[in-house]
Amino acid sequence: MVPYPADPLTALAHGIGSQHDLPISPFYAFAGAFAALFISFLALGLLWSTSRFQGDRSGRALPAALQRVADAPVTRTALRGLGLAAALAVLLHLLLGPDDPARNPAPGAVYVLFWVGLVPASLLLGPVWRLLNPLRTLHRLLRRARRRPDPDRPLPPRLGQWPAAAGLFAFTWLELVAPDPASTTTLLIALTVYATAQLLLAARFGERWFDDGDAFDAYSALLARLSLLGRRSDGRLVLRNPFHGLDATPERPGLVATVCVLLGSTAYDGFSDNPSWINTLQTSPLGRTPTATLGLLGSVALVATLYCTCAAATRLVSGPHPRPLTAFAHSLVPIALGYLIAHYFSLLVTEGPRTVSIAAGTDNAPEPVPPLGPGGLAALQVVAVVTGHVLGVVAAHDRSVRLFPPAKAVAGQLPLLALMITYTIGGLSLLLN
């Protein structure tokens, strides 16, 4: 991956860039993927007849002293201060630094340390952005500055995570489609518009707006469902099986849209450096940006259409259930995580340290060095994609045996298996093109 490409062909397709020309046999990749999916599906059907995941009721409680430290006001204040300080540092670099991503760490901080780094941070520590989010901190400070703040208005029940889905789409558009995503002017405008909108909406609806209305709060919380670290329904900090956390994913409106934006935008990232697509962008009568926007929209719409078709087929095979769309949406989260790891692992471990060195004022920052050879990177990407789909099959099976009668539980998963196979073919094809 080359995050700030000088090559105009690469710049057409990426704000950050990617690498997909991997030396691995497509036959072995697809054969291994199909074998893993079919074997896991058959084993689950034969050996897993009752639901085993307990959602937020499970987990081994961590020592009370550790929880007191984690929940202490001084700890939370320090984390909020850290998030606000980091945001101010990025803002100062955007305002005062050179408009050159090779010498200004702000673009790397936004697209690498923040966007990509939030994935491992959320997996290891839980929904960390909830504490680091500078917009939450600013909202609290602004409320304290007002002597008589207006009472918070209730959020519309149907709103759910739709604002988060829209925000994630806007960010991926900025990264993958915008004409100059690493420009300081572009980033300043985007961040100012987003921060202003979030603060105004939080002033109207209160701090709970950020839970589902802030794209990155929802993004971090969704990935944190697969963390070993979590909280039980009684508030205790626990170590848990990640499947339990995944099973506790709230079935809110907009959840499907949020996950489909993550999947679809990652798929577009993988396809956007295909020579045929680059040629389409260069020759389109609509212009590069409108055509790329339609491509990103089409990718997200395709992922969503496939999932909705699968949900309808499941309902047809197994009978009606109360939440046909959101009931299995949680099974897409590990798939999205697998794609994120496959596409962005190399970027984080090469460009993350480089961004830090630029921020520290180190002259002649070293060129990115891939952490793995081409073969190792190819293996990691294929394993990440396939593992994500297998975990999705497990999550879907457990939900199926909970919702449907035993005679229909396995048959009801056939559309889901077909969906997983379709996503796997698409994901591996993009990696190995």
Side-chain angles (χ1 to χ4, degrees), residues 62-132:
L62 292 172
L66 181 60
Q67 177 154 352
R68 285 196 295 270
V69 172
D71 292 341
V74 63
T75 302
R76 293 174 174 265
T77 301
L79 290 174
R80 293 189 185 102
L82 177 63
L84 187 59
L88 290 175
V90 171
L91 181 60
L92 287 175
H93 280 293
L94 289 174
L95 290 171
L96 305 176
D99 193 10
D100 178 4
R103 296 186 295 125
N104 191 329
V110 172
Y111 292 122
V112 180
L113 297 180
F114 170 59
W115 174 242
V116 183
L118 203 55
V119 176
S122 300
L123 287 176
L124 292 173
L125 302 174
V128 291
W129 192 243
R130 188 169 296 170
L131 291 176
L132 294 172

Side-chain angles (χ1 to χ4, degrees), residues 37-75:
L37 288 173
F38 277 115
I39 291 173
S40 60
F41 176 78
L42 292 175
L44 290 168
L46 293 173
L47 304 175
W48 197 311
S49 58
T50 59
S51 176
R52 303 183 184 185
F53 302 147
Q54 302 174 15
D56 56 7
R57 301 186 306 277
S58 68
R60 177 175 298 180
L62 292 172
L66 181 60
Q67 177 154 352
R68 285 196 295 270
V69 172
D71 292 341
V74 63
T75 302

